[in-house]
Amino acid sequence: MRTQVAIIGGGPSGLLLSQLLHVRGIDSVVVERKTKDYVLGRIRAGVLEQGLVALMEEAGCANRMHAEGFIHDGALISYGDEMFRIDFSEHTGTPVMVYGQTEVTRDLYAAREAAGGRIEFSVEDVVIRGADSDAPQVTYTVDGEARRIECDFVAGCDGFHGVSRKTIPDDVRREYEKVYPFGWLGVLSETPPVNHELIYANSARGFALCSMRNENLSRYYIQCSLDDCVEDWTDDAFWAELKRRIPKDQADKLITGPSIEKSIAPLRSFVTEPMRWGRLCLCGDAAHIVPPTGAKGLNTAASDVHYLYNALRDFYENGSEVGIDGYSATALARVWKAERFSWWFSSVMHRYPGQSDFDLKMQIAELEFLRSNKAAQTAMAENYVGLPY
């Protein structure tokens, strides 16, 4: 096949880039190593920055999101039985949208299929060739049949374990990583959310998060040991532990029910530099990962898509390579700010193994300063709703 942009990875970032390019008349092909059902079965983030909302609008995929998503003007933070609210609208004039990543992906698939977009599923043996030339290729197999895509650019949207990042030579690529000494146990349940806004909880027993997907679908998390297995946690044990970690008035009104999905995710911060090598550009988890505390994973991938999409537009519409040449530096400048916020919020909200009494006092002091200081609240709100592109 011949296309202008070969996109490796059929998750939300690859699909969003493909749809945005289509709107501008730029051709692309998406290759995905899993099936469509597998991609749609992944339970991920649910808080969307306005930048991502605007990209979905530009892609022509925002109707269902606006009809079914929930606008949130703030979030709640608790420590012990104390709780306070960060008002996003007051401090920034901007809300966030609560709408599941699975639904974003579903909308993007529907748009690509309606437009006749080319998506190859269940691909294997993907290799990026000639990325440092003007004529890169992507080779792969489907059902044992060898295939090749000739293209102008390759967008690596294939996640942390994909081939794109590893295509950049070791002597060019530098990686930065922090692995956190705990994970998140997450449960999805067909129950009403305990609160109409998200609750982030720092308790003596560890972190907890009360989130939602819609008015009868709730997503809850608790900090857990990396040695834990999902099988170690019955539904009753999960609900009992969650109640211990959130304020009593919230625990008393928590409606519990059978879990319809349960999983444990380790937490890490990771960045690779550069995000561009020749005609290969990385997007999303292929280039960086954040702990989910700050809801920045999908949103930071979306900012990558924004920069890359506009760079490719400039190349095809104006013949300029300025955007492509500056893509890595521009994207990374925002990536590191998102990493900082996610690292900071994680450090404040979790209990760490071996934490000293001094460390605990510092956490509480940080939370009490945030509670009482408008400048601190504004800084947090600006980061949470999304720094400008």
Side-chain angles (χ1 to χ4, degrees):
M1 285 183 283
R2 169 70 199 174
T3 190
Q4 290 170 299
V5 183
I7 300 172
I8 303 175
S13 56
L15 295 170
L16 179 58
L17 177 61
S18 181
Q19 180 64 14
L20 287 166
L21 292 173
H22 166 75
V23 169
R24 289 289 174 169
I26 301 168
D27 189 51
S28 67
V29 175
V30 177
V31 296
E32 165 58 47
R33 66 188 182 93
K34 298 294 187 180
T35 65
K36 177 182 173 182
D37 287 344
Y38 181 93
V39 175
L40 289 173
R42 292 188 293 220
I43 304 298
R44 293 290 190 270
V47 177
L48 312 185
E49 298 174 357
Q50 286 303 306
L52 175 49
V53 171
L55 287 172
M56 289 289 284
E57 291 170 346
E58 188 172 354
C61 301
N63 289 346
R64 192 165 73 95
M65 176 184 67
H66 284 306
E68 299 180 13
F70 292 84
I71 296 294
H72 279 209
D73 293 309
L76 300 163
I77 296 177
S78 75
Y79 53 108
D81 275 332
E82 301 291 325
M83 189 161 71
F84 63 97
R85 182 172 185 266
I86 304 293
D87 190 320
F88 303 148
S89 295
E90 175 189 346
H91 294 292
T92 71
T94 304
V96 293
M97 170 77 75
V98 174
Y99 187 66
Q101 177 174 318
T102 300
E103 304 311 311
V104 170
T105 309
R106 197 183 308 279
D107 294 343
L108 290 166
Y109 270 133
R112 295 310 298 127
E113 290 164 1
R118 292 180 288 178
I119 305 175
E120 294 256 36
F121 293 102
S122 302
V123 306
E124 298 178 317
D125 307 317
V126 176
V127 178
I128 302 168
R129 304 179 188 278
D132 56 345
S133 73
D134 291 339
Q137 298 179 356
V138 177
T139 62
Y140 57 97
T141 61
V142 176
D143 296 328
E145 177 187 335
R147 299 186 184 179
R148 182 179 74 248
I149 301 173
E150 298 176 350
C151 55
D152 301 324
F153 295 94
V154 179
C157 306
D158 50 347
F160 182 77
H161 298 290
V163 302
S164 297
R165 182 179 72 258
K166 297 169 186 174
T167 298
I168 300 176
D170 291 345
D171 61 351
V172 174
R173 187 177 78 244
R174 183 169 182 184
E175 297 180 350
Y176 305 83
E177 184 174 33
K178 176 180 175 62
V179 177
Y180 294 81
F182 42 74
W184 277 16
L185 170 64
V187 161
L188 193 67
S189 64
E190 292 178 327
T191 55
V194 66
N195 195 291
H196 69 281
E197 292 185 328
L198 273 64
I199 302 174
Y200 290 88
N202 175 325
S203 84
R205 301 181 64 90
F207 171 79
L209 170 60
C210 302
S211 183
M212 72 285 292
R213 292 295 177 266
N214 58 49
E215 58 193 10
N216 198 47
L217 188 62
S218 298
R219 184 70 164 158
Y220 296 105
Y221 299 93
I222 58 173
Q223 176 183 344
C224 67
S225 168
L226 289 173
D227 296 327
D228 284 3
C229 298
V230 170
E231 295 74 24
D232 299 334
W233 287 90
T234 64
D235 287 352
D236 287 345
F238 176 87
W239 293 122
E241 185 60 30
L242 177 64
K243 287 181 178 181
R244 296 185 188 105
R245 299 189 187 192
I246 60 177
K248 186 177 185 303
D249 64 327
Q250 302 297 314
D252 288 345
K253 63 181 183 179
L254 178 69
I255 298 175
T256 65
S259 63
I260 58 175
E261 193 271 344
K262 189 185 295 177
S263 58
I264 292 178
L267 272 64
R268 66 153 55 93
S269 298
F270 175 86
V271 180
T272 191
E273 295 184 354
M275 287 175 57
R276 167 187 170 254
W277 182 61
R279 293 294 185 95
L280 167 64
C281 297
L282 306 181
C283 283
D285 287 0
H288 45 76
I289 293 174
V290 291
T293 324
K296 291 287 159 264
L298 175 61
N299 290 301
T300 308
S303 70
D304 297 343
V305 169
H306 165 82
Y307 294 127
L308 182 54
Y309 156 60
N310 282 289
L312 291 168
R313 276 183 56 195
D314 200 26
F315 176 85
Y316 286 110
E317 295 176 1
N318 303 312
S320 172
E321 296 192 27
V322 172
I324 293 295
D325 290 341
Y327 168 70
S328 180
T330 303
L332 282 167
R334 192 178 188 278
V335 164
W336 278 113
K337 293 182 180 71
E339 292 279 348
R340 185 211 67 82
F341 175 68
S342 300
W343 161 81
W344 168 80
F345 201 24
S346 297
S347 70
V348 171
M349 299 306 298
H350 292 84
R351 296 299 171 103
Y352 286 71
Q355 234 174 348
S356 69
D357 291 343
F358 180 86
D359 295 332
L360 294 173
K361 287 289 188 181
M362 286 298 98
Q363 278 191 332
I364 299 305
E366 184 80 11
L367 288 165
E368 290 184 346
F369 179 72
L370 181 61
R371 178 175 189 162
S372 61
N373 188 279
K374 285 193 174 183
Q377 291 185 12
T378 298
M380 178 179 172
E382 287 176 346
N383 280 274
Y384 195 94
V385 304
L387 297 174
Y389 291 165

Coordinates of all heavy atoms in Angstrom, one line a residue, residues 30 58 69 81 187 189 214 218 222 318 365:
V30 N -3.8 2.8 9.4 CA -3.6 2.4 10.7 C -3.4 0.9 10.8 O -4.2 0.2 10.2 CB -4.8 2.8 11.6 CG1 -4.6 2.4 13.1 CG2 -5.0 4.3 11.6
E58 N -13.0 19.0 16.3 CA -12.3 19.3 15.0 C -12.4 18.0 14.2 O -12.5 18.1 12.9 CB -10.9 19.8 15.2 CG -10.2 20.2 13.9 CD -8.9 20.9 14.2 OE1 -8.5 21.1 15.3 OE2 -8.2 21.2 13.1
G69 N -21.4 12.8 27.9 CA -20.4 13.1 28.9 C -20.9 14.1 30.0 O -22.0 14.7 29.9
D81 N -10.7 12.5 57.7 CA -12.1 12.8 57.5 C -12.3 14.2 57.0 O -13.4 14.8 57.0 CB -12.9 12.6 58.8 CG -13.4 11.1 59.0 OD1 -13.6 10.5 57.9 OD2 -13.5 10.7 60.1
V187 N -11.8 -1.1 40.3 CA -13.1 -1.8 40.1 C -14.1 -1.0 39.3 O -14.2 0.2 39.6 CB -13.7 -2.2 41.5 CG1 -15.1 -2.6 41.4 CG2 -12.9 -3.4 42.1
S189 N -18.1 -0.9 38.5 CA -19.4 -1.4 39.0 C -20.6 -0.7 38.4 O -20.5 0.6 38.3 CB -19.4 -1.5 40.5 OG -19.4 -0.1 41.0
N214 N -20.6 7.1 34.1 CA -21.9 7.8 33.9 C -22.7 7.7 35.2 O -22.2 7.2 36.2 CB -22.7 7.2 32.7 CG -22.9 5.7 32.8 OD1 -23.4 5.2 33.8 ND2 -22.6 4.9 31.8
S218 N -19.7 3.3 37.9 CA -18.7 3.9 38.8 C -17.4 3.2 38.7 O -17.3 2.0 38.4 CB -19.2 3.9 40.3 OG -20.4 4.6 40.5
I222 N -8.1 1.8 44.7 CA -7.4 1.9 46.0 C -5.9 1.5 45.7 O -5.6 0.7 44.9 CB -8.0 1.0 47.1 CG1 -8.0 -0.5 46.7 CG2 -9.4 1.4 47.5 CD1 -8.4 -1.5 47.8
N318 N 1.6 23.6 3.2 CA 2.5 24.7 2.9 C 3.9 24.3 2.5 O 4.7 25.2 2.2 CB 2.5 25.6 4.2 CG 1.2 26.1 4.6 OD1 0.4 26.6 3.8 ND2 0.9 25.9 5.9
A365 N 0.9 18.9 55.6 CA 1.1 20.3 55.5 C 0.9 20.8 54.0 O 0.3 21.9 53.8 CB 2.6 20.7 55.9

